[in-house]
Amino acid sequence: MNMSAYIPVIGLEIHAELLTKSKVFCTCSAEFGGDKNTRCCPVCSGMPGTLPIINQTAVEYAVKAGFALGCGINKFSVFDRKNYFYPDLPKAYQISQLNLPLCINGLVPIEYEENGEKKTKNIRINRIHLEEDAGKLIHDDLNGVSLADYNRCGIPLIEIVTEPDIGSAEEAKAFVEKISLLLQYAGVCDCKMEQGSLRCDVNISIMKPTDTEFGTRAEIKNLNSIKAIGRAIDFEIYRQGKLLDMGKRVIQETRRFDDNRGETKSMRSKEDAHDYRYFPEPDILQVNFTDEDLDAIRAKLPEMPYERLERYLKNGLNETDAKIIVNQKILSDFFDSAVKAYNNPKSVCNFLIGEMMRRINLGEVSLDNLPFTAEQFAKLVEMADTDKVSKNDAKSVFRTMCEKGGDPEEIAKAEGLLISNDTGKVAEVIEKVLAANEKAVAQYTGGDQKVFGFLMGQCTKELKGVCTPKVIKEELEKKLRSL
Ligand code: ADP
Ligand code: MG
Ligand code: ZN
């Protein structure tokens, strides 16, 4: 197939679970995990006669997400019932939003690399609506049964729908990473794809450059890693291209990605909106915001990535380093805590990007499970800056911190690397060395500076661990000058 014969057209639907304490329509815990079916009540398990009450924090978080993604907020918003029958949905309908979602018309800038070239693009957001999550089905192939866990039923979920602005797997991956970053900074979702708190459906079609209309799309459901998103898109471009090359049609359907085979498989033909028999949810009040309400929510939005980047640049970090730190919220938070403990951003950054990232990339430590605190890290950087440990020895102290954790000063002491900077001891040693090497001293005072290195070496040998070569050199020069 001639890949350049077709232009891929991609739109994403991203589901993000909101970090509220309780579920969206009842008071059950919304925390991840828990024994099966222990976090449910009559409301979220769909008992007849129960009434939902909307969780205001969930609404607030959805609006925050809207602000974070550059959306406009609908002051008037309505919930609807989306009806379908499936065992993970005990009510047989999902409370969602159809025509009047909370947020509309956003814009998200992405940066990515394609064929070694740095590129930027703006992806339009069509809408963000608030809905409830469904339960989880556990398929037991051994016994040929499926089990239902309803703990996830009613967890607040936002669905972010893009316009079909995405043109490749690289763009799609960069977009999902950016959304994940923005939602984490906004504090509304932890975006753990492996736990399912961020999930992505990919809609994809291809068209010829001369076509005036989009082609028929396939929807690939529930991709749960950035890598899977990229692979599924590349496979689908190839599959649809092959069909069109053979003069066949792409059919509109829902597909699933098989991670092992790297292929998408047909699941079912795609439903249209009217198949869901949407109608206004009669048990939930409509949402009405005043300007003051929205201003108050906007004011609660924490520092966002581009603001943090600006702050780092102002603090003297270079753009490459600042971006590496900002692009991982957990790293950036660590950096901020370290700088709070030792106010030298450049120095903390250098050690972080150099030594710490190196050990993380080697797989020796992981950011979400560091054996030392940001304060201990900061202390080590400060010790190196103030010559309590040499720059080189700081690296070996850090290696121990990565292995076992602990206080850098204690480690340096235990490993005999702590520099005491005992000035009395320095003077004493210099005195002793000069007395023992009168000839060399006479040579030096006679104008032969070459012997300085020799004297320096003698002092250094005895002052290892007491002070840095820099201090020895200064003190020795001072002493010789005074002779
Ligand atoms: P549905 O709700 O049935 O999934 P939507 O119209 O809300 O359909 O669109 C869902 C997603 O599909 C959006 O992200 C949209 O940009 C994308 N999309 C729509 N048409 C196409 C197409 N022809 N090719 C690729 N993506 C498309
Ligand atoms: Mg859809
Ligand atoms: Zn409940």
Side-chain angles (χ1 to χ4, degrees), residues 8-13 82 126-127 159-165 201-206 213-219 221 252 270-273 276 278:
V9 174
I10 302 163
L12 302 184
E13 293 162 277
K82 179 180 182 180
N126 172 285
R127 57 189 276 144
E159 179 171 335
I160 302 163
V161 183
T162 76
E163 295 296 344
D165 289 348
D201 300 345
V202 171
N203 294 271
I204 173 165
S205 63
I206 57 173
E213 270 175 43
F214 289 155
T216 307
R217 69 181 148 130
E219 181 177 20
K221 280 276 183 202
Q252 179 165 330
K270 165 118 185 83
E271 313 79 358
D272 283 316
Y276 290 116
Y278 274 100

Side-chain angles (χ1 to χ4, degrees), residues 146-182:
S146 289
L147 305 166
D149 177 7
Y150 291 153
N151 282 357
R152 206 175 67 180
C153 277
I155 297 217
L157 206 61
I158 48 172
E159 179 171 335
I160 302 163
V161 183
T162 76
E163 295 296 344
D165 289 348
I166 297 165
S168 68
E170 287 316 315
E171 288 180 29
K173 290 196 284 186
F175 177 77
V176 176
E177 268 166 2
K178 186 66 182 278
I179 292 292
S180 163
L181 195 68
L182 291 169

Side-chain angles (χ1 to χ4, degrees), residues 208-315:
K208 291 210 181 83
T210 48
D211 286 348
T212 51
E213 270 175 43
F214 289 155
T216 307
R217 69 181 148 130
E219 181 177 20
I220 312 158
K221 280 276 183 202
N222 275 334
L223 293 157
N224 55 10
S225 75
I226 300 274
K227 198 167 161 210
I229 292 169
R231 292 173 73 210
I233 288 174
D234 282 336
F235 176 80
E236 200 54 27
I237 294 172
Y238 164 79
R239 182 187 72 89
Q240 294 185 13
K242 230 168 60 176
L243 282 175
L244 297 193
D245 279 353
M246 291 190 294
K248 293 186 180 162
R249 287 184 319 118
V250 173
I251 44 173
Q252 179 165 330
E253 63 183 350
T254 301
R255 300 176 71 86
R256 141 186 103 71
F257 181 62
D258 180 337
D259 227 332
N260 293 324
R261 307 179 69 112
E263 296 172 359
T264 64
K265 292 252 160 55
S266 179
M267 275 167 80
R268 56 176 188 259
S269 69
K270 165 118 185 83
E271 313 79 358
D272 283 316
H274 62 250
D275 294 327
Y276 290 116
R277 298 281 183 262
Y278 274 100
F279 65 86
E281 165 61 56
D283 292 338
I284 305 259
L285 289 177
Q286 298 155 343
V287 179
N288 277 295
F289 289 119
T290 62
D291 287 328
E292 292 73 43
D293 293 334
L294 294 179
D295 288 345
I297 297 176
R298 192 198 280 276
K300 282 195 211 169
L301 206 63
E303 185 182 42
M304 294 305 285
Y306 64 91
E307 294 167 320
R308 208 171 271 200
L309 183 67
E310 251 171 46
R311 177 160 64 81
Y312 288 174
L313 296 178
K314 239 184 251 157
N315 286 342

